[in-house]
Amino acid sequence: MDTLEFLRAILPEDGVHYTAIFKPGFHAPAHKAFHSLEEMADAIVKMDAGDWTVYHACGSYKNEFVEVDVKGTIKKKYRVEQNWNKAKAFWADLDCGEDKAAEGKGYLTKREAATAMKAFCDKTGFPKPFYVDSGNGIHAYWPLTKAIPADTWVKMATMLKSIFAHHEVLADPSRTSDFASILRPVGSHNKKSDDFKPVEAKNRVEPIDPRDIA
């Protein structure tokens, strides 16, 4: 699965799509808006080839930006709730490593994370996701047959977060139900260490009717 195939699998065709770009020395990302998934995929590959770390916004947005009054000053904002549009997937971020495992916030290895998610799906009958190796962890995606409005997505994702907690799936709770999430796209690299790690899709699944998820 290349970058474009990945974006087409998890993002709505309509609306504005963002990349969030972290430049060396900066803690906040710069946002770039796209109206075409093809242009977005090309840009991700090109930006990733340099020193920048690239993320994709997991949902689509209404406008390239919205103007928000912040303490009397009008500022451009991007992934804020006023601008949310639709989502075409649910997602979970499974952190891995010794520190995360010791804190009870993740799994020791990526294999353990994938095994835990599989066990959850086997036990509950929840559809199996497709997995993305994010370099230091696992992202799980449930692609949908059609995009759903942001408010509907949030209600369902909030329930999914509660179900994960009940079954002791160590998915990052701040990510599962956050429409504004950004994650690493397939075809980019995790650059947290000197040995850049490729972000790769590990399998494929058929899209799921959102009514079946509900």
Side-chain angles (χ1 to χ4, degrees), residues 11-29:
L11 288 176
E13 286 289 341
D14 65 308
V16 175
H17 303 92
Y18 291 127
T19 54
I21 309 147
F22 287 84
K23 300 178 181 180
F26 290 81
H27 295 293

Side-chain angles (χ1 to χ4, degrees), residues 107-145:
Y107 299 91
L108 185 62
T109 66
K110 289 178 276 190
R111 180 178 292 276
E112 286 185 10
T115 299
M117 182 59 75
K118 181 180 183 303
F120 162 76
C121 293
D122 288 344
K123 180 178 180 180
T124 62
F126 200 73
K128 291 181 172 59
F130 83 76
Y131 298 101
V132 171
D133 183 336
S134 67
N136 293 325
I138 293 289
H139 299 158
Y141 289 92
W142 291 267
L144 303 176
T145 55

Side-chain angles (χ1 to χ4, degrees), residues 64-103:
E64 292 191 2
F65 64 88
V66 292
E67 294 184 334
V68 178
D69 187 330
V70 181
K71 297 181 179 180
T73 301
I74 301 300
K75 294 188 176 183
K76 289 183 178 180
K77 295 292 183 180
Y78 306 94
R79 292 179 289 114
V80 292
E81 186 173 355
Q82 301 96 306
N83 200 24
W84 292 355
N85 185 34
K86 296 178 181 178
K88 205 182 79 171
F90 292 94
W91 52 81
D93 184 6
L94 308 176
D95 290 324
C96 302
E98 292 182 2
D99 292 344
K100 292 293 183 180
E103 294 171 0

Side-chain angles (χ1 to χ4, degrees), residues 1-10 37 41-42 44-45 130 132 185-188 199-201 204:
M1 179 181 288
D2 62 19
T3 304
L4 180 56
E5 289 177 302
F6 169 71
L7 297 178
R8 283 175 170 165
I10 65 155
L37 294 181
D42 288 343
I44 287 171
V45 173
F130 83 76
V132 171
V186 168
S188 67
V199 179
E200 300 175 318
R204 296 172 185 258

